[in-house]
Amino acid sequence: MSITDFVFAPQVQPSVAVRGSRQRYAVQRIFCVGRNYAAHAREMGGNPDREPPFYFTKPANALLPSGSVMAYPPGTQNLHYEMELVVAIGAPVFRVTPQAAGAAVWGYAAGLDMTRRDLQAEAKAAGRPWDTAKGFENSAVITELVPLAETGELKAGAITLAVNGSEKQRGDLSDMIWSVPEIIANLSQFYHLQPGDLIYTGTPEGVGAVKPGDRLSGRIEGLGELSLEIGAAD
Ligand code: MN
C-alpha cells in the first residue's frame, strides 16, 4: 500500500523511546489495570480483597513522553495523577499461565495514568463507560522503555510520586494485589496479547488533583524517573 491508497494520510505510528537505543517500541494497544494496590482500592471506596483484576484501555495516541508539558485537558475540574509501572509485551501470548507469562515481558517504563476523576465518578455512579475519564489525549504519560535484560524482573522496589517537591504517593511494587505475570496471564484469557501492547499496572494510594503550573516527578526503584509539568488549560 502507498499513501495514495488512503483518503487521508495515515497518522504517524505511536511509539515509545527505548533507553540507550535508536530504535523505538511501536505501540498498538494500552491496557490499564483498575485497582491493584489494596490501599488505593480502599481510598477509591472499593474492596481491597483479591477479586479478579479489571481493565480499561487508552488509545495508543494518548501517549505523552515524560518531560512534556501537558495542557490541562478540557471537560474536567479534577485532573488526577496515578503513578504506575508500565509493562511492554514482547512476545505473543494467549491463555498463558502465570508461570509462563513472565517470558512475555520485553521491558518496563514508568507512567502516569492521568484521569479526569470527576468524569470517572459520574460514570461510576451512572454505570457508564470510563472512556472520557481515562482515554483522552495525552492521558498516558510514559518514560523511555528499559529492556528487561537491563533491569531484571521488577518484583519489588519503591514507586513514588511528588508534586512540586512534596511526596504524594509511595508504594512498593511488591504491594501489587496482582503481580505482573498474574496480570499478563489473566489479560491473556481475554486477548491475544502481542508485541506493541502496553499494560499500566495500577497505582498505589495517594492519588490527587493537579492544577496548571504543577510539576510532577515520579520514580520507580531499579527503573528510572519521570517528570511532567501541567500547562495552561487547553
Ligand atoms: Mn490507573
Side-chain angles (χ1 to χ4, degrees), residues 33 56 82 84 113 134:
V33 181
F56 56 90
E82 296 188 359
E84 309 200 0
D113 164 16
K134 290 290 197 178

Side-chain angles (χ1 to χ4, degrees), residues 121-200:
E122 287 172 19
K124 282 181 184 175
R128 289 180 180 154
W130 288 8
D131 297 55
T132 57
K134 290 290 197 178
F136 56 97
E137 295 148 6
N138 300 321
S139 64
V141 180
I142 193 163
T143 64
E144 292 177 321
L145 279 166
V146 184
L148 176 82
E150 292 181 26
T151 59
E153 186 181 356
L154 293 181
K155 294 181 184 172
I159 174 169
T160 58
L161 183 83
V163 179
N164 302 323
S166 169
E167 186 173 288
K168 303 294 186 185
Q169 291 192 275
R170 174 171 287 272
D172 195 284
L173 299 180
S174 64
D175 294 337
M176 285 187 189
I177 296 171
W178 295 90
S179 70
V180 168
E182 287 171 337
I183 292 165
I184 293 170
N186 182 268
L187 195 54
S188 81
Q189 308 302 309
F190 301 95
Y191 299 93
H192 293 78
L193 296 178
Q194 303 278 354
D197 289 334
L198 297 178
I199 307 171
Y200 281 61

Side-chain angles (χ1 to χ4, degrees), residues 30-34 40 56-58 70 79-86 110-117 120 130 133-136 138-142 169 200-203 207 226:
I30 304 174
F31 297 99
C32 306
V33 181
H40 174 63
F56 56 90
T57 63
K58 295 176 185 262
M70 176 188 186
L79 177 68
H80 274 212
Y81 51 79
E82 296 188 359
M83 178 70 187
E84 309 200 0
L85 176 70
V86 184
L112 287 169
D113 164 16
M114 299 303 288
T115 301
R116 288 164 165 152
R117 193 71 73 200
Q120 185 192 30
W130 288 8
K134 290 290 197 178
F136 56 97
N138 300 321
S139 64
V141 180
I142 193 163
Q169 291 192 275
Y200 281 61
T201 59
T203 195
V207 299
L226 166 154

